[in-house]
Amino acid sequence: MRTNYCGQLNSAHVGQKVTLCGWVNRRRDLGGLIFIDMRDREGIVQVFFDPEQKEAFSQASELRNEFCIQVTGTVRARPDSQVNKNMATGEIELAAESLSIFNRSEPLPLDSNQTNTEERRLTYRYLDLRRPEMSERLKTRAKITSFVRRFMDGEGFLDVETPMLTKATPEGARDYLVPSRVHKGKFYALPQSPQLFKQLLMMSGFDRYYQIVKCFRDEDLRADRQPEFTQIDVETSFMSADQVREVMERMIHALWLDILNVDLGAFPVMTFAEAMRRYGSDKPDLRNPMELKDIADLVKDVEFSVFAQAANDERCRVIALRVPGGASLTRKNIDEYTQFVGIYGAKGLAWMKVNESAKGIEGVQSPIAKFLTNDVVNAILETTGATDGDLIFFGAGRKGTMSDAMGALRLKVGRDLELTDLNAWKPLWVIDFPMFEEDEETGSLSAMHHPFTSPKDLSPAELTAHPVGAVANAYDMVINGYEVGGGSVRIHRNEMQQAVFSILGITPNEQQEKFGFLLDALKFGTPPHAGLAFGLDRLVMLLTGTDNIRDVIAFPKTTAAACLMTNAPSFANEDSLKELAIAVTQKEVSEDKE
């Protein structure tokens, strides 16, 4: 039906007769002349309708935006005065000789000249995807997946599919359950990841596996999270953590070169403990130059009880954050930041403006200065590196709360004061995560990553004796403050896996019920293995320059896990429910809720 794409025509086609198919992007009727901008997935070209081509000209007078059409004509060069340097096809135009209207369009519910609400864009997603910026994002996504497949094939990895209908196993989030018609009362689960299956593939002898695969997690959503998402899933046998990281770093390095022509350089490596200490986050954004400084040793004996109490409690931190040029912040600005850290559980935010650092306590302005000595102030200035014109924020309290609050403040201030270099790319590896997280109230333990992660240099007995403080052989890749991938060395011995399950409070009976197939498989010569999974959606989000993961998924869900276009989820009919032996006890008031 066509000989060329609109966006691929150029001066080399001058004099050629071509046929194009696409949509009317814009129409201009200049009285005796009609011009349209015609669009397809590859771009836009100007089409000219001459009154001498009477039939085509007559039809062109009917055209409106988003009519679907076919045009045949001859490519010609535009006069120098009419060249459009803002268009890839700006040096040429198509002189139309015939026009076919495949389909007309009603007035659009989306306004291409204004910013539409995301709700409206998602409701009419098929129209939203026609926009060039959306089309480019999905084309880039296709290039990325193609690149990944070529790279992984070249490294000897095998693409192996794993089941979508599987057994519910605890992996950190709620499962999406699928009722079985054949086995009434029983349910499959959609996989949160192919974690156990890829480990079983290693036990089966397929020593290099990968898959670009859909995963499902029933959890609260945000801008960079979806209930169904896509992973680049990787597993290897007989490779150390360092070797896995080397291959994956090489892939991401090559991907950035291929898509953006950006050299990421060598990725620095940082431990979890260092990341939390310096940045208050296990996914630090290194584009921001500010760092957190622990000053507990400086304020143990000060009269300010908020500092002194926290400084003398090993469960707490006292943190200072130097803000270059921050002395220009107003009291209103500071109050707003105080409210901001409150979101993360901080009870307050102390501050100090540095007017003349050489004068010590006499050269600073702070509501807490009266509780400090000159020596303490000088020590704080030295530790933070603060100079004239800077501001120092202080937080004191429980370690987890303070790390979260001051880490988030660091990011917000960095953006607000334009201290973060938004044009830079800063990747790194974060390693040596804790094996377990401890609930401060109950003391119960949960797996930091997942319960199949191997500890570093510990026997089952040693891990069982001292689980708190155990370090996992785990690693995350972080780029510009986003965790783009994470993985670990897996447990490959039955005794260690049972020990971890027991530490997590999973009884022997539950272990057999939920993980019996895995525990059995670990008895038959399981090789050492390790792996990693990248969030494909998040990689595409970074590579296309958007900050919303929904922009790079063709048909995403809202933050309420709903599809506004199809009105999913919806109620099932009674016959289907009876066949599945399911009774619905309560329905939402409205089927149209987001």
Side-chain angles (χ1 to χ4, degrees):
M1 296 181 76
R2 64 180 167 202
T3 61
N4 302 80
Y5 281 106
C6 299
Q8 293 180 346
L9 293 179
N10 54 51
S11 56
H13 294 94
V14 170
Q16 295 182 20
K17 190 169 186 176
V18 301
T19 299
L20 308 177
C21 294
W23 289 265
V24 177
N25 194 66
R26 190 163 69 107
R27 175 180 178 273
R28 303 184 300 285
D29 190 337
L30 305 182
L33 303 173
I34 295 175
F35 293 88
I36 67 164
D37 288 342
M38 186 174 176
R39 184 193 74 246
D40 59 21
R41 76 169 207 193
E42 295 300 318
I44 295 174
V45 68
Q46 179 172 283
V47 180
F48 165 67
F49 292 90
D50 192 316
E52 293 185 7
Q53 300 286 342
K54 292 184 179 180
E55 184 175 352
F57 187 83
S58 175
Q59 287 181 292
S61 64
E62 304 175 29
L63 295 178
R64 296 295 182 271
N65 285 3
E66 298 306 317
F67 276 32
C68 186
I69 61 174
Q70 179 190 59
V71 179
T72 297
T74 301
V75 179
R76 68 183 189 185
R78 292 198 203 185
D80 290 343
S81 61
Q82 297 178 20
V83 169
N84 186 345
K85 295 182 179 179
N86 296 321
M87 289 176 62
T89 60
E91 294 182 349
I92 54 96
E93 64 183 2
L94 184 69
E97 297 167 14
S98 66
L99 167 67
S100 296
I101 300 176
F102 290 137
N103 214 331
R104 298 168 184 268
S105 175
E106 296 182 3
L108 297 179
L110 296 181
D111 189 336
S112 60
N113 296 316
Q114 295 183 15
T115 300
N116 299 284
T117 65
E118 187 175 46
E119 179 181 0
R120 201 149 187 83
R121 287 176 54 206
L122 293 178
T123 301
Y124 297 97
R125 188 61 163 184
Y126 44 87
L127 296 178
D128 185 46
L129 291 176
R130 290 183 187 176
R131 296 190 298 125
E133 58 265 45
M134 293 301 296
S135 175
E136 283 303 312
R137 287 169 183 153
L138 291 190
K139 284 163 62 180
T140 300
R141 184 184 179 113
K143 291 178 183 176
I144 291 168
T145 56
S146 177
F147 177 92
V148 168
R149 291 190 186 281
R150 292 196 308 272
F151 182 92
M152 297 302 283
D153 291 345
E155 293 289 327
F157 285 81
L158 301 176
D159 183 356
V160 184
E161 293 182 350
T162 52
M164 285 289 109
L165 295 177
T166 184
K167 184 180 179 68
T169 55
E171 291 187 36
R174 288 183 295 272
D175 288 313
Y176 279 101
L177 299 178
V178 180
S180 170
R181 178 185 59 82
V182 177
H183 305 281
K184 288 184 169 52
K186 293 186 176 182
F187 295 81
Y188 300 101
L190 299 180
Q192 295 183 33
S193 78
Q195 181 62 47
L196 295 183
F197 285 105
K198 66 180 181 179
Q199 289 187 239
L200 291 167
L201 285 170
M202 297 303 101
M203 301 172 197
S204 304
F206 298 95
D207 65 343
R208 290 196 176 197
Y209 143 95
Y210 86 98
Q211 188 180 187
I212 298 178
V213 61
K214 280 284 187 185
C215 302
F216 307 86
R217 294 181 184 176
D218 184 6
E219 57 188 351
D220 295 334
L221 307 183
R222 60 191 184 209
D224 62 342
R225 183 179 285 171
Q226 283 279 294
E228 53 178 324
F229 57 96
T230 306
Q231 278 188 185
I232 304 169
D233 205 48
V234 180
E235 198 76 7
T236 69
S237 297
F238 310 115
M239 288 180 69
S240 67
D242 289 346
Q243 290 171 322
V244 172
R245 295 206 315 265
E246 187 276 329
V247 174
M248 295 297 96
E249 180 176 327
R250 222 167 359 96
M251 183 182 80
I252 296 301
H253 188 274
L255 178 62
W256 251 251
L257 278 172
D258 186 77
I259 301 297
L260 297 180
N261 195 29
V262 167
D263 185 348
L264 293 175
F267 292 18
V269 179
M270 184 180 300
T271 65
F272 170 87
E274 182 183 359
M276 295 303 294
R277 176 173 56 81
R278 294 172 61 186
Y279 305 107
S281 171
D282 60 0
K283 47 182 184 295
D285 187 349
L286 300 185
R287 298 174 301 169
N288 181 328
M290 293 185 291
E291 292 190 20
L292 310 183
K293 298 292 184 179
D294 284 297
I295 61 165
D297 59 327
L298 305 179
V299 295
K300 285 184 176 181
D301 300 318
V302 299
E303 295 180 13
F304 189 46
S305 62
V306 174
F307 281 8
Q309 288 176 7
N312 287 283
D313 188 338
E314 62 181 14
R315 299 168 300 175
C316 296
R317 292 185 74 180
V318 184
I319 297 172
L321 174 66
R322 172 203 167 211
V323 181
S328 62
L329 291 173
T330 65
R331 186 58 187 267
K332 180 185 176 186
N333 298 144
I334 293 172
D335 289 344
E336 288 171 351
Y337 287 129
T338 302
Q339 291 178 353
F340 174 77
V341 296
I343 297 171
Y344 297 86
K347 295 180 180 179
L349 186 66
W351 55 272
M352 178 185 292
K353 290 186 177 183
V354 183
N355 299 322
E356 295 183 70
S357 58
K359 292 184 177 181
I361 196 169
E362 297 298 324
V364 302
Q365 175 189 351
S366 171
I368 64 170
K370 59 187 176 182
F371 302 110
L372 307 178
T373 66
N374 189 62
D375 288 344
V376 168
V377 169
N378 283 328
I380 290 173
L381 296 178
E382 183 179 353
T383 298
T384 60
T387 57
D388 297 353
D390 292 348
L391 177 141
I392 305 171
F393 281 122
F394 301 95
R398 285 294 187 107
K399 285 182 179 178
T401 300
M402 282 303 101
S403 294
D404 290 345
M406 298 301 286
L409 179 66
R410 169 183 172 270
L411 295 178
K412 180 169 176 56
V413 172
R415 290 190 297 268
D416 292 350
L417 302 189
E418 299 182 349
L419 299 171
T420 301
D421 184 356
L422 299 180
N423 296 315
W425 291 102
K426 295 290 186 179
L428 78 153
W429 288 103
V430 179
I431 65 170
D432 292 355
F433 287 80
M435 273 289 287
F436 305 106
E437 293 180 284
E438 185 175 12
D439 187 293
E440 290 185 355
E441 294 183 3
T442 66
S444 61
L445 299 178
S446 59
M448 173 69 87
H449 275 70
H450 54 61
F452 318 110
T453 298
S454 178
K456 258 190 166 183
D457 306 321
L458 290 175
S459 68
E462 290 169 330
L463 180 66
T464 301
H466 303 286
V468 177
V471 174
N473 202 346
Y475 35 84
D476 282 357
M477 182 186 288
V478 177
I479 299 179
N480 289 4
Y482 288 95
E483 178 201 329
V484 297
S488 67
V489 173
R490 321 304 188 187
I491 295 170
H492 69 280
R493 290 182 176 172
N494 183 288
E495 300 82 7
M496 180 63 80
Q497 188 63 76
Q498 288 180 310
V500 170
F501 285 155
S502 296
I503 290 168
L504 294 173
I506 304 174
T507 66
N509 286 340
E510 289 176 315
Q511 292 178 31
Q512 284 302 317
E513 179 188 347
K514 297 175 179 177
F515 301 104
F517 64 96
L518 174 67
L519 294 173
D520 286 344
L522 288 170
K523 299 174 184 176
F524 300 107
T526 297
H529 56 288
L532 181 143
F534 289 104
L536 175 63
D537 309 304
R538 200 168 291 176
L539 285 174
V540 178
M541 184 180 79
L542 286 171
L543 285 163
T544 56
T546 180
D547 59 1
N548 190 330
I549 209 166
R550 291 187 287 275
D551 285 342
V552 299
I553 299 171
F555 301 104
K557 304 293 190 294
T558 67
T559 52
C563 175
L564 300 181
M565 185 180 67
T566 63
N567 283 326
S570 58
F571 294 113
N573 65 56
E574 291 298 326
D575 290 340
S576 296
L577 292 174
K578 286 179 181 177
E579 195 172 21
L580 293 167
I582 291 177
V584 176
T585 59
Q586 184 177 355
K587 290 185 178 181
E588 290 185 355
V589 175
S590 171
E591 220 178 313
D592 299 323
K593 285 176 68 177
E594 255 197 55

